[in-house]
Amino acid sequence: MLVVMNKNARPEEIDAVVRAIEERGMTARPIAGGDRVSIGVLYNKGSVDPSPFLGMAGVMDLIPVTRPYKLVSREFKPEDTIIRVGDVAIGNGHLTIMAGPCAIESEVQALTIAEHVKKAGAQMFRGGAFKPRTSPYSFQGLGEAGLKILAKVREETGMPVVTEVMDEENFDLVQEYADVIQIGTRNMQNFSLLRRAGQARKPVLLKRGMSAVIDEWLMAAEYILEGGNTEVILCERGVRTFVKHSRNTLDLSAVPVVRRESHLPIIVDPSHAAGRRDQVIPLSRASVAADAHGLMVEVHHEPDKAMSDGAQSLYPEQFESLCRQVRAIFDISRHEA
Ligand code: PEP
Ligand code: MN
């Protein structure tokens, strides 16, 4: 249940509702909205009896929550969440493009690609220092040395950096360098990692598990919000199906569904969905037309020599064209909205 307070509810009225909820053995979570505070009721066993709260001073409305997820749901917070990272905003009204190589391979490689993607219009740089690889014999990323290169990219270009954390062991280290912490598809239901991310001081980019339905994905995000970190960006990256013409199948319908169900921003990663460069631009156009709040795209200046995911990495000129095309689509959708 959600207790919606009057616009001019006084702090002591809000406190009284919080106490009334907690006296009944449940947890109260005040959520600041545009012009009023709502108080979410968590850890209720079964449905909540609204009667004790109905007559309380400052209470405007009591809304039953019908979804299994709470803090991530629109029922709890109707307004879109906008996440700010330096000068970059992610969320409704913005189209945020993150780009970079799959893996950081060297300082020269990272800086070269960063300059290209920045010039083309990317606002954030994305590159992996810790890489989840199917084979233990494949390049696993540069680790801390890669994080240091990311810091250098930020310093030289001014772009905030996104990078993946694979385990709790390296969480503090990654958090120290990253502006946005990525949790990858393979870790979407790593609940202890999600709990750790709930305590993080940085926004988290949570990719959809390759076999996860949307409820499971939103529940994974719920772990992070429940832990106290309200800054989560969802990222659709394709789900595993039987087809062979692409690495995964981009689930475009996830975009409108997530936008309806949740206030959190949702971006699309067309690169891991496609697995091949010729599909990346059309899938990007479609994602923006479907109202994604942004894209995360793999780009490499020498994809043939890339240490991972070269086949799906765009050449810098292709990325420049992608940015031009999706910005035009975004402008049309914004005028039509
Ligand atoms: C990545 O973004 O580099 C990555 C490994 O993606 P995913 O977790 O979606 O496979
Ligand atoms: Mn990759």
Side-chain angles (χ1 to χ4, degrees):
M1 191 178 72
L2 187 67
V3 183
V4 183
M5 302 299 290
N6 279 323
K7 258 189 201 154
N8 45 12
R10 295 200 308 273
E12 49 285 15
E13 292 172 339
I14 296 171
D15 287 348
V17 173
V18 167
R19 273 201 310 279
I21 294 168
E22 301 213 320
E23 274 162 13
R24 286 168 177 79
M26 301 174 291
T27 298
R29 185 67 70 82
I31 304 161
D35 54 3
R36 65 180 81 246
V37 170
S38 299
I39 305 168
V41 180
L42 305 180
Y43 295 107
N44 47 300
K45 297 192 176 56
S47 60
V48 183
D49 174 12
S51 49
F53 309 103
L54 271 172
M56 290 187 72
V59 171
M60 186 185 85
D61 202 4
L62 299 169
I63 303 177
V65 173
T66 56
R67 304 294 197 263
Y69 34 85
K70 299 185 178 207
L71 299 169
V72 307
S73 76
R74 275 217 188 266
E75 290 178 326
F76 258 53
K77 181 171 181 276
E79 311 84 38
D80 288 292
T81 291
I82 311 270
I83 295 172
R84 293 185 195 277
V85 185
D87 296 336
V88 182
I90 306 134
N92 203 26
H94 304 271
L95 177 66
T96 312
I97 304 180
M98 311 172 185
C102 181
I104 301 295
E105 298 164 10
S106 70
E107 189 172 309
V108 173
Q109 174 249 18
L111 284 169
T112 306
I113 297 170
E115 292 300 342
H116 279 301
V117 300
K118 184 180 177 182
K119 195 162 131 266
Q123 294 125 300
M124 296 179 80
F125 184 73
R126 205 299 304 246
F130 292 96
K131 294 302 305 174
R133 302 304 302 276
T134 301
S135 163
Y137 307 115
S138 302
F139 175 58
Q140 306 283 308
L142 296 179
E144 187 167 3
L147 296 174
K148 293 200 161 105
I149 295 173
L150 283 165
K152 179 96 194 238
V153 168
R154 174 176 46 222
E155 196 183 301
E156 301 263 314
T157 64
M159 282 188 286
V161 298
V162 186
T163 198
E164 177 162 355
V165 66
M166 280 173 42
D167 43 47
E168 283 172 273
E169 193 185 328
N170 287 306
F171 203 98
D172 288 334
L173 182 66
V174 172
Q175 168 162 260
E176 195 183 315
Y177 289 93
D179 295 296
V180 172
I181 301 165
Q182 175 176 327
I183 294 185
T185 197
R186 295 161 187 80
N187 267 320
M188 189 206 82
Q189 282 189 319
N190 179 340
F191 297 114
S192 53
L193 189 64
L194 296 173
R195 285 204 188 280
R196 179 66 193 82
Q199 288 159 20
R201 294 168 280 102
K202 302 265 171 84
V204 174
L205 189 148
L206 179 65
K207 297 190 99 176
R208 177 179 179 182
M210 62 183 86
S211 306
V213 297
I214 289 179
D215 279 9
E216 290 163 334
W217 186 19
L218 293 178
M219 279 303 207
E222 185 82 11
Y223 268 85
I224 304 174
L225 271 76
E226 196 272 340
N229 185 353
T230 53
E231 304 210 301
V232 175
I233 304 157
L234 298 164
C235 178
E236 160 64 36
R237 48 79 73 204
V239 289
R240 181 157 288 186
T241 66
F242 52 86
V243 305
K244 295 206 166 56
H245 60 263
S246 58
R247 182 174 176 181
N248 290 287
T249 297
L250 180 62
D251 180 10
L252 262 187
S253 60
V255 178
V257 172
V258 166
R259 285 188 64 128
R260 186 190 68 215
E261 290 295 311
S262 177
H263 52 85
L264 296 172
I266 172 164
I267 68 164
V268 172
D269 166 358
S271 306
H272 290 88
R276 39 187 291 175
R277 116 174 28 96
D278 62 333
Q279 296 174 1
V280 172
I281 294 181
L283 293 181
S284 300
R285 286 196 302 254
S287 303
V288 175
D291 285 337
H293 296 116
L295 297 171
M296 193 165 91
V297 182
E298 287 189 343
V299 179
H300 202 293
H301 63 307
E302 292 175 323
D304 295 346
K305 297 191 187 144
M307 294 173 90
S308 67
D309 287 349
Q312 67 196 33
S313 299
L314 294 186
Y315 289 95
E317 317 77 76
Q318 291 179 304
F319 178 66
E320 208 178 309
S321 165
L322 179 154
C323 288
R324 267 201 311 276
Q325 296 182 45
V326 297
R327 294 250 173 242
I329 293 168
F330 179 67
D331 286 342
I332 296 170
S333 344
R334 192 158 46 173
H335 288 121
E336 294 295 317

